[in-house]
Each structure stands twice: as C-alpha cells, then as structure tokens.
DNA sequence: CCATATACTTACCTGTTTGTAACTACTATC
DNA sequence: GATAGTAGTTACAAACAGGTAAGTATATGG
C-alpha cells in the first residue's frame, strides 16, 4: 500500500528522478551528510573534523571542497601560526535539516528494528 | 549558524555517523530512492519499472533484490505465460516517506535556486 | 522452425569512491 | 638543526557503482 506518497504522473516520475538525483549529487556519498551533522556542533578545524567524523584527510579535503562549492560550508583561514582553517556550516545548509534529520532518524529506528534492541 | 540542529555530544557524532551511514547502506546509490518513488505509483512489472525509472535491466534487478532483502519491496511471481513478476512497496517502505519527500523537496528547491527558475 | 515476449543473467567495461602511506610548505620553539 | 604542529597533497591501490550488449529459459502463436 502506498499511503505515504501521492500517486504520480509519468512526468512526475521523471521530475522526481531528477530531483532526487540532484540531491544525491550534492550530498550523496559516504561522508557529506556526516560532515554536515558534525559541523552542526559548531565550527571545526580540519584535524578536529577528521577526528570527530573519523574520516581520512584526503577524503575530508575533497568532500569539504565540494560542500564549499555548493554553498553548504564556509572556509575561513585564521591568522595563526601555523596557519589554521575553520570550517562552518552556512545558512543555506539549514535547508538540508529535514533531509539529515530524516536520514538520521530512519537509521536509528531501522537499526533498532534490525537488532531488536532499544 | 547551526539553528536546525541541536548541539551534539561526541558520542552523538559517532552515533549519527552510524545512523546516517546505515540509511545510506539501505537506500543509498543512484536508483533506490527513485525506484521507491516510482513504485509509489503502485505495483509495477519489471520492464515497466525499467522504462518508468529509466534504468538498465541489470541494475534494476540488482537494486530490486537489495530492496527486497531489506523489506522495502515485495516481489510476486504471477501465474502467467510468459512468466511476469510484480514489484510493490511494502508497508515498511512507508517509514522512508520522510526521507524521500525531504530529498525530493530539497532537490526541487535547490534546482530552482541554481537555475533561477520557478 | 521462427518470431515474439518476459525477466532477468552474464561478460565486459569504464569511471568513481574511498582509503593508506608518505610527503609538503610554512611557521614556531628549543 | 631537530622537533612539532597544521592543513592539506600526492601516489598508488582496491573496491564499488553503473552501464552496454548479448544471451538465456520458458512459453505461445503462426
């Protein structure tokens, strides 16, 4: 039974595919939503992010650049020595809150269902 | 500013990573959410799904098997000749409605922002 | 026997993602 | 000069995702 979704027209299917895959283009992959979640704690430095998220520096650098390009994260070079850089969520990243919270919530509930644990 | 998220503890970061990546394990990739959306129109046969979603048979078969294993889609072999098979969303797939709707909605809005079109 | 239909499966392939390990540039401190 | 710190970068590699094209098993109809 498909109660949670409205019936879609054929054009709606094409448009839905486009919309969903657009979202995946921006925040798909193993780490991007995790990084956004972690930065929800507040601005972080590169190594802090690497540690808090548990991600390798090479991938972290790559993902942060993409998130910055898409306007979801901002990068600030601090006037310190050695140089430090701070990463912070942008206002625009708030538009992803429903996506992230839904993903997080579903993952938690699904794991409980799978393991039978609460 | 991180208004959309609550501040998280360190343990919360690990747990969030787990939850988000669990969700991605089940519905990540290019096609799974699209297939779930398309099946929101009602049960479909294999070739209908391939056409409606615009996906190749090899990948469709693979993704449907994974969705079936995770209890999101059911597969019914019909007593027809040649044999036909019907795929349908399960009740459990309704739990993904927030995820899919959020992804879809964000994709639509993001595309409007990017293209400046309404 | 051939053509057609359905639901895949198989073989091969390309491109991408993610990770490890080592390295780099620059500065400060001892 | 050696050491430490930071933020990456580079080279290499394995695994994975998704696609194309051809093929398969079974049945029906002409």
């Amino acid at each position: 039974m498909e109660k949670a979704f409205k019936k879609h027209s054929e054009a709606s299917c094409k448009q839905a595919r486009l919309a969903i895959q657009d979202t995946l283009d921006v925040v798909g992959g193993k780490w991007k939503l995790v990084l956004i979640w972690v930065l929800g704690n507040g601005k972080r430095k590169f190594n802090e992010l690497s540690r808090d998220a548990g991600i390798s520096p090479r991938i972290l650098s790559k993902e942060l650049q993409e998130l910055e390009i898409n306007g979801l994260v901002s990068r600030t070079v601090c006037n310190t020595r050695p140089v430090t850089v701070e990463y912070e969520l942008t206002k625009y990243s708030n538009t992803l809150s429903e996506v992230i919270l839904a993903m997080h919530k579903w993952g938690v509930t699904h794991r409980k269902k799978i393991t039978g644990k609460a």
Side-chain angles (χ1 to χ4, degrees), chain A residues 10-113:
Chain A
E10 198 173 321
S12 163
C13 286
K14 284 192 170 76
Q15 189 264 357
R17 171 184 163 181
L18 190 63
I20 292 171
Q21 289 182 343
D22 275 355
T23 302
L24 290 172
D25 283 347
V26 176
V27 295
K30 185 176 173 179
W31 289 109
K32 288 192 176 75
L33 289 175
V34 173
L35 291 174
I36 293 175
W37 181 281
V38 170
L39 283 170
N41 271 328
K43 59 182 69 175
R44 286 284 183 280
K45 298 191 177 71
F46 188 91
N47 283 342
E48 290 171 345
L49 259 180
S50 181
R51 187 185 59 243
D52 288 356
I55 183 176
S56 70
R58 200 188 86 73
I59 304 302
L60 178 57
S61 175
K62 171 181 171 287
E63 301 295 69
L64 284 174
Q65 285 181 39
E66 290 175 26
L67 289 171
E68 193 185 353
I69 285 172
N70 285 308
L72 298 168
V73 157
S74 67
R75 177 178 185 272
T76 306
V77 180
C78 302
N79 194 12
T80 58
R81 294 292 180 243
V83 68
T84 55
V85 180
E86 271 183 350
Y87 292 92
E88 181 173 17
L89 290 180
T90 60
K91 267 180 166 33
Y92 186 55
S93 72
N94 290 341
T95 62
L96 277 167
S97 62
E98 279 187 47
V99 171
I100 291 187
L101 291 170
M103 299 276 281
H104 177 272
K105 179 179 163 189
W106 193 86
V108 167
T109 307
H110 183 72
R111 177 165 286 263
K112 283 173 181 172
K113 175 179 177 290

